[in-house]
Amino acid sequence: MFEARHTMDAPTGTPADDGTSGGGAGWFSSDSRPTSEADRGAAAPAGEAEFAGLPPRDQPPSPDAVRIRRTMAEVAPVAEQVTSYFYALLFVRHPYLRPLFPAAMDAQRDRLLRALLTAAELIDNTAALEDYLENLGRGHRKYGARAEHYPAVGECLIGALSRYASSSWDTETEAAWVRAYTTISQVMIDAAAADELRAPAWWHAEVVSHDLRTPDVAVVTVRPDQPYPFLAGQYASLETPWWPRIWRHYSFASAPRSDGLLSFHVKAVPAGWVSGALVHRARPGDIIRLGPPSGSMTVDHTTDSGLLCLGGGTGIAPIKALVEDVAEHGARRSVEVFYGARTDNDLYDIDTMLRLQQSHPWLSVRAIVDQQARLQLPDAIRAYGPWHEYEAYLSGPPGMIRSGVDTLRSIGIPSERIRHDSVEELVLAR
C-alpha cells in the first residue's frame, strides 16, 4: 500500500507530467509529490526534496534495520519477480482487493519496490519515516484502502520476500519485517483516520477551461465541488474518467485564488494515459477527480531570503505559483527565475512570466533555451550568482533536477535550502 509522488513530465520536472506518480490502490507505491506528467504537468512530485539531504545517522543502525536492508539488497536484482509474485499472491488469496488496482500493473510494481526501499532507508529515522508514511496513509484514502486491508497486504509481502530473499531470510529477519510492517501499517491507518475527520478522500472537479498552448501542452483549469485548501508549490493527484484508478501528480500552476479555481500545466508524453487524456480529450464540462494536496516545496514567509527558482518545461507551473505567493504576501524579497527549455516552442508560458516581471520589480526572469544559449542552464546559474543566501527551488525533468542540484551544491547552497520534487517519481510518472 505505498504510492509515490512527483511533479513533471518525465522530461521536465513537475510532479510527473502525467501527473507524477502512478495510480492504483497505491499499496506499496509512493504517493509523494509530482511535477507534470512527464513534466509532472508542472507538478512533482519538490520539497519531497523530500528525502534528499537527510542528516547523516549519528548512531549505528538497529538490528532490525540491518536485517531489513539486507533483505532489500538481496531482492533488488529480482525486483520485478518479487513484486509480480506479491501481487499474484494478493489477488489469488484476497481477490476482493483486485478492483482497487488499475488494470495495467506495470507502474504499480515499480512503486512497490520504491516505497519499500524508502521505508528501509528511513527505518531508523523515526520523524522522517512517520512523515513519509502519514502522507501515504492520507493519499491511499482515494484508492479505497481501509484498515482491514493492511493485514492481507503484509501477509503477502512477507510471503514474497521470504521466497526471493532465501539467502538472508531466517526467523529473526521475518520477525524484523513483521515488526516493521506492523509499525508502517499502523502509522498509515492512523493518518488516514485522522484525515477522514477533516477532508474528503477525493474531490470532484469540473473542467472550466482547456487552453492548448502547444500540440502537446495544455493548461487545464478546474472548479472543485467543495473548498480545496492548498499551498503554492504543492501538487495534487488527478484521475480522469477515461482511465479509472489511474492517478498522476501535477503541481498547481497558481497560488490559491479567490474564485477557488485550480490550474495545471500538463504535457502529453508517450504512453502517458492521464497526460494524454488531459491534453487531447478533456474539454470544458468534463469531470475529473482530485486527491488531497501534498508536497513541501513551499515558501517560508518567516524569512526574507531571496528565492532562486529553476523551472524546466512544465516545471515552470509551480515556480509561477511560488512567484504569485510571494507577491500576495507583499514581501519585496528577491526572486530570480531561470526558465529552461529545449526550444523556443517549449517556452509556452514565457509571456505570463514576463508580465509578472513587469509588475514586480523584485522579480527577474531569464529564459535559457538549450538550442540557442551560449550558456547551458548550470553555467548560466553560476554566471549570475552568487546565490549563497538564497533558498533554491527546482521543478522539471529528472535530468534537470539532478544537474541543478549538483550545480547548486557546487556553488555553496546547502542541501537543506534546496527544494525539489522526488526524481524517482518523475521517472515513473506517465
Side-chain angles (χ1 to χ4, degrees):
M1 278 179 125
F2 293 97
E3 168 202 45
R5 116 185 173 161
H6 85 103
T7 293
M8 27 185 345
D9 231 298
T12 14
T14 37
D17 211 79
D18 190 5
T20 181
S21 99
W27 271 311
F28 297 98
S29 71
S30 287
D31 213 14
S32 286
R33 150 173 211 180
T35 290
S36 50
E37 190 170 0
D39 246 46
R40 174 199 160 145
E48 275 163 347
E50 281 155 353
F51 301 112
L54 283 175
R57 298 184 186 89
D58 55 5
Q59 296 181 355
S62 65
D64 279 4
V66 170
R67 293 187 176 97
I68 287 170
R69 290 174 185 147
R70 186 182 298 139
T71 301
M72 294 308 299
E74 183 175 354
V75 302
V78 291
E80 184 173 351
Q81 294 97 305
V82 175
T83 50
S84 294
Y85 187 73
F86 162 75
Y87 283 111
L89 283 180
L90 188 66
F91 297 154
V92 168
R93 294 180 181 177
H94 309 280
Y96 62 92
L97 293 176
R98 184 62 181 91
L100 300 183
F101 293 81
M105 290 291 293
D106 293 348
Q108 183 68 31
R109 294 189 183 100
D110 290 336
R111 284 195 292 281
L112 166 60
L113 184 67
R114 268 187 304 122
L116 289 176
L117 288 171
T118 299
E121 181 60 27
L122 298 175
I123 196 69
D124 282 339
N125 189 327
T126 303
L129 180 61
E130 288 186 356
D131 182 68
Y132 177 68
L133 295 174
E134 287 171 357
N135 187 50
L136 289 188
R138 290 188 293 267
H140 277 65
R141 291 182 58 213
K142 66 179 178 289
Y143 299 119
R146 299 195 302 271
E148 58 267 29
H149 297 156
Y150 283 80
V153 172
E155 164 207 328
C156 297
L157 173 63
I158 289 175
L161 292 173
S162 63
R163 176 183 177 91
Y164 286 92
S166 55
S167 296
S168 60
W169 198 266
D170 54 25
T171 302
E172 290 79 9
T173 299
E174 180 167 334
W177 273 100
V178 169
R179 285 189 290 270
Y181 183 78
T182 299
T183 298
I184 286 171
S185 59
Q186 194 59 55
V187 172
M188 294 178 66
I189 289 168
D190 290 346
D195 192 58
E196 188 173 3
L197 299 177
R198 57 177 177 263
W202 64 77
W203 287 252
H204 288 102
E206 178 185 359
V207 176
V208 297
S209 71
H210 185 279
D211 180 9
L212 193 65
R213 297 288 183 86
T214 76
D216 59 357
V217 173
V219 176
V220 182
T221 301
V222 304
R223 177 185 292 110
D225 61 348
Q226 52 189 305
Y228 187 98
F230 73 97
L231 299 175
Q234 290 191 304
Y235 63 90
S237 51
L238 276 63
E239 179 202 50
T240 72
W242 302 284
W243 295 105
R245 301 188 302 283
I246 302 293
W247 296 78
R248 295 295 182 266
H249 293 123
Y250 296 88
S251 295
F252 300 105
S254 68
R257 297 165 47 166
S258 59
D259 59 10
L261 298 182
L262 310 173
S263 291
F264 303 93
H265 293 187
V266 183
K267 180 175 182 178
V269 297
W273 296 349
V274 177
S275 64
L278 289 172
V279 172
H280 300 303
R281 298 184 65 170
R283 294 295 181 268
D286 289 333
I287 304 297
I288 65 172
R289 288 204 296 174
L290 302 172
S294 189
S296 57
M297 196 179 79
T298 56
V299 176
D300 179 0
H301 292 289
T302 65
T303 75
D304 58 1
S305 300
L307 274 60
L308 172 60
C309 302
L310 283 59
T314 53
I316 198 63
I319 301 302
K320 172 177 169 286
L322 294 177
V323 170
E324 293 179 353
D325 188 37
V326 171
E328 290 177 5
H329 278 76
R332 297 178 62 82
R333 58 199 298 185
S334 175
V335 179
E336 304 280 342
V337 173
F338 287 82
Y339 187 171
R342 296 188 182 95
T343 67
D344 282 336
N345 190 54
D346 294 323
L347 294 173
Y348 67 91
D349 209 33
I350 188 64
D351 290 345
T352 302
M353 298 305 299
L354 292 177
R355 283 195 296 270
L356 286 170
Q357 179 180 246
Q358 291 174 351
S359 302
H360 306 297
W362 42 262
L363 172 63
S364 176
V365 177
R366 299 180 179 90
I368 308 296
V369 180
D370 286 350
Q371 294 184 358
Q372 301 175 1
R374 288 174 295 178
L375 291 176
Q376 296 299 303
L377 186 56
D379 298 321
I381 295 168
R382 292 189 183 94
Y384 285 99
W387 308 110
H388 304 89
E389 304 302 321
Y390 281 67
E391 303 285 333
Y393 296 80
L394 299 88
S395 181
M400 192 214 83
I401 297 290
R402 292 190 181 99
S403 64
V405 169
D406 289 343
T407 299
L408 295 173
R409 287 174 175 164
S410 72
I411 60 177
I413 300 181
S415 297
E416 61 268 20
R417 289 200 286 138
I418 301 174
R419 303 190 180 202
H420 61 85
D421 291 316
S422 166
V423 171
E424 290 73 18
E425 303 253 335
L426 300 184
V427 171
L428 289 176
R430 286 289 184 279

